[in-house]
Amino acid sequence: MIVGAQWGDEGKGKVVDLLAERADVVIRFQGGNNAGHTIVRDGEEFKFHLIPSGILYPGKTCAIGNGVVVDPGVLIGELEGLRRKRIDISGLRISANAHLIMPYHVILDTEGEAKLGKLEIGTTKRGIGPCYTDKAARLGIRVQDMLDPKILRKKIFAALEPKKQLLRPFERDPRLDLHAMTEEYQGYGHRLEPYIADTARICWDALDADRTVLFEGAQATLLDIDHGTYPFVTSSNPVAGSACVGAGVGPTDIDEVWGVCKAYATRVGAGPFPTELDDEVGTHLRDKGHEFGTTTGRERRCGWLDMVGLRYASRLNRLSALAITKLDVLAGLDPIRVAVRYRSSEGAVLDEFPYHQTVLHGASAEYEELPGFDEDVGACRTPDDLPKAARDYLAFIEDHTGVPIRMVGVGPGREQMVTFG
Ligand code: GDP
Ligand code: IMO
Ligand code: MG
């Protein structure tokens, strides 16, 4: 299983692409098209929002699990993009039980943010939160419903009823016309029907035959609705435990959990970020790391690596390994700083990630300094190729988390990876 260990965009897509070669099934288990997973192959960039990052292997079974929220228009757009590039998409499977993002979810997301004003979360405005809200309220519409127009229409009607007040300003919006919406989604259903399947059973069949299933997390630990920096979080559970629910397997099916973590930290959207930098180092990270959102194009906030957050993520996900990405971006920074603890606004030392929102909002990071390196590490492939200062930095991360590092990214290309043991 691959999960994000920070605030997202750690390079999960790249790691999944690399590991997918040896997997029989790749499955997404939560989130939706708020995700943006990038893969760079032979200089060509692919950005996936819903389709699992294993799709570039011809015929590989790539499943969208029941825990994912699917915007079918976006999914069809992604499929068309891949077809144009002559990528084989025959291995795609979509859970019949996954929930659908409807036009009113997108409107409610955008309106909700506007109403919050300065207090906005900075969502991707893709309708993720309102869709999960309807799922919990049992007013959701599922992939299977697209295949039965009568049920589809009834369910859309029932879902719209309690939202009438909120949607009053959009009364005449053609996107919300019951008839048109039913037809639109019925059309999506026709197009997606060949891919709709029982994705849990696909996982069981593979696992029972001793084959490998790779679980692709989206978003990340600190954006988890239960364990992240609530309310500045997404509306699903990106932590490892959630893969069982979102794909339909048992905890004992999982052998390994890898956390992906940048060699520094970034965050898109609002919320606490104790190591955030508002200076020339932050600019260096943003420019050199091309830190602009894959989904929304927004500038990502940048800062030093936060060991308090990473230790928390390591325990919460019970990580068996770490993949550190973007080590190349640190070249030219000396010293490199790493947050090892926080200090509360009242002066208390905080070694652990604070569970109380107010404490976290007031916390400032305290750092250790490590020597930097100037060398371009983009061509390094083995640990011995790396400069000593870079190796020491990685050893520091292992010491402070107790989690072994298995991969280190030294550039966006799929070959730009240092593998350990
Ligand atoms: P994800 O959401 O976790 O899959 O990550 P994103 O794709 O949103 O963001 C990661 C970005 O960093 C992408 O543009 C990747 O191509 C790029 N990337 C991944 N690994 C590395 C690396 O080791 N070095 C550099 N320079 N870029 C990387
Ligand atoms: P990947 O999978 C980074 C952030 C948004 C916002 C918050 C809530 O590419 O790592 P939402 O639209 O989910 O309701 O927004 O979560 N967010 C992400 N940040 N990477 C992502 O996905 C994200 N998905 C959501 O910026 O702060
Ligand atoms: Mg991303």
Side-chain angles (χ1 to χ4, degrees):
M1 185 186 309
I2 305 301
V3 293
Q6 297 168 302
W7 279 288
D9 303 326
E10 297 92 347
K12 297 176 290 294
K14 178 181 167 179
V15 173
V16 169
D17 173 47
L18 284 170
L19 296 180
E21 194 168 2
R22 286 182 280 129
D24 298 285
V25 177
V26 183
I27 183 163
R28 281 266 316 259
F29 55 89
Q30 45 71 231
N33 59 313
N34 46 349
H37 296 180
T38 315
I39 298 173
V40 182
R41 277 201 180 184
D42 303 324
E44 188 175 6
E45 194 172 64
F46 297 86
K47 289 173 192 278
F48 298 113
H49 299 288
L50 278 164
I51 297 179
S53 303
I55 200 78
L56 297 183
Y57 297 93
K60 178 89 59 191
T61 303
C62 284
I64 297 177
N66 57 276
V68 175
V69 287
V70 177
D71 186 324
V74 171
L75 178 56
I76 288 168
E78 237 181 288
L79 285 172
E80 279 169 356
L82 286 174
R83 271 201 205 102
R84 273 197 299 277
K85 291 184 175 176
R86 301 193 178 284
I87 306 292
D88 174 9
I89 47 172
S90 62
L92 180 71
R93 297 291 177 270
I94 307 162
S95 168
N97 289 349
H99 280 248
L100 293 173
I101 296 185
M102 306 298 290
Y104 43 85
H105 292 139
V106 178
I107 293 174
L108 290 171
D109 194 357
T110 310
E111 288 303 293
E113 284 284 272
K115 279 205 189 97
L116 283 171
K118 268 203 206 139
L119 298 175
E120 69 163 12
I121 292 155
T123 74
T124 58
K125 300 195 173 82
R126 298 301 193 262
I128 307 295
C131 184
Y132 278 114
T133 304
D134 270 355
K135 175 179 177 176
R138 290 158 295 184
L139 287 170
I141 302 183
R142 299 193 291 174
V143 165
Q144 56 186 282
D145 299 327
M146 290 192 293
L147 304 178
D148 186 332
K150 259 198 204 144
I151 289 189
L152 180 62
R153 191 186 164 91
K154 271 193 198 157
K155 289 199 172 178
I156 298 177
F157 181 80
L160 281 171
E161 264 310 291
K163 300 180 185 67
K164 267 198 167 145
Q165 187 76 25
L166 282 167
L167 292 171
R168 182 138 299 149
F170 299 89
E171 240 166 5
R172 291 206 173 74
D173 194 312
R175 287 175 294 177
L176 297 187
D177 179 75
L178 178 62
H179 182 69
M181 211 190 304
T182 310
E183 286 216 321
E184 183 191 350
Y185 276 68
Q186 195 189 341
Y188 293 147
H190 280 310
R191 296 186 64 179
L192 294 175
E193 193 168 1
Y195 305 104
I196 300 174
D198 181 351
T199 52
R201 191 164 294 281
I202 290 172
C203 292
W204 304 336
D205 289 347
L207 291 166
D208 294 346
D210 250 349
R211 297 205 296 265
T212 303
V213 178
L214 187 59
F215 299 85
E216 175 175 357
Q219 291 80 54
T221 305
L222 299 176
L223 288 173
D224 186 278
I225 190 164
D226 284 270
H227 302 284
T229 53
Y230 193 91
F232 301 100
V233 293
T234 191
S235 296
S236 69
N237 290 108
V239 295
S242 141
C244 295
V245 180
V249 301
T252 50
D253 280 319
I254 313 293
D255 300 311
E256 281 195 54
V257 182
W258 287 26
V260 187
C261 175
K262 281 181 203 184
Y264 49 96
T266 64
R267 174 164 204 170
V268 218
F273 183 3
T275 64
E276 183 167 15
L277 292 166
D278 197 11
D279 59 9
E280 65 282 6
V281 177
T283 309
H284 168 112
L285 296 172
R286 187 172 307 110
D287 291 350
K288 199 154 177 222
H290 304 291
E291 295 297 353
F292 296 88
T294 311
T295 300
T296 56
R298 285 178 292 174
E299 223 175 63
R300 294 178 183 144
R301 300 154 67 193
C302 296
W304 293 115
L305 183 62
D306 179 350
M307 222 43 97
V308 184
L310 187 57
R311 280 199 305 267
Y312 177 66
S314 300
R315 183 61 191 91
L316 203 47
N317 295 294
R318 202 27 146 182
L319 297 181
S320 54
L322 277 169
I324 303 293
T325 58
K326 302 191 119 173
L327 183 70
D328 51 303
V329 176
L330 291 184
L333 293 176
D334 194 12
I336 298 171
R337 303 176 85 196
V338 192
V340 289
R341 68 186 81 81
Y342 299 156
R343 192 160 300 263
S344 79
S345 55
E346 274 136 20
V349 171
L350 306 169
D351 290 310
E352 307 291 345
F353 199 75
Y355 65 89
H356 200 296
Q357 205 205 154
T358 314
V359 177
L360 181 60
H361 278 263
S364 50
E366 292 194 348
Y367 296 92
E368 272 188 35
E369 290 191 350
L370 281 86
F373 55 94
D374 273 327
E375 296 90 329
D376 178 356
V377 293
C380 298
R381 296 293 176 268
T382 69
D384 288 341
D385 296 340
L386 292 169
K388 181 171 183 308
R391 285 202 308 272
D392 289 348
Y393 182 63
L394 298 170
F396 184 92
I397 296 173
E398 283 188 329
D399 282 352
H400 277 253
T401 53
V403 182
I405 294 173
R406 295 287 298 277
M407 277 186 175
V408 174
V410 291
R414 79 187 301 269
E415 69 294 344
Q416 289 184 292
M417 198 60 115
V418 173
T419 40
F420 288 63

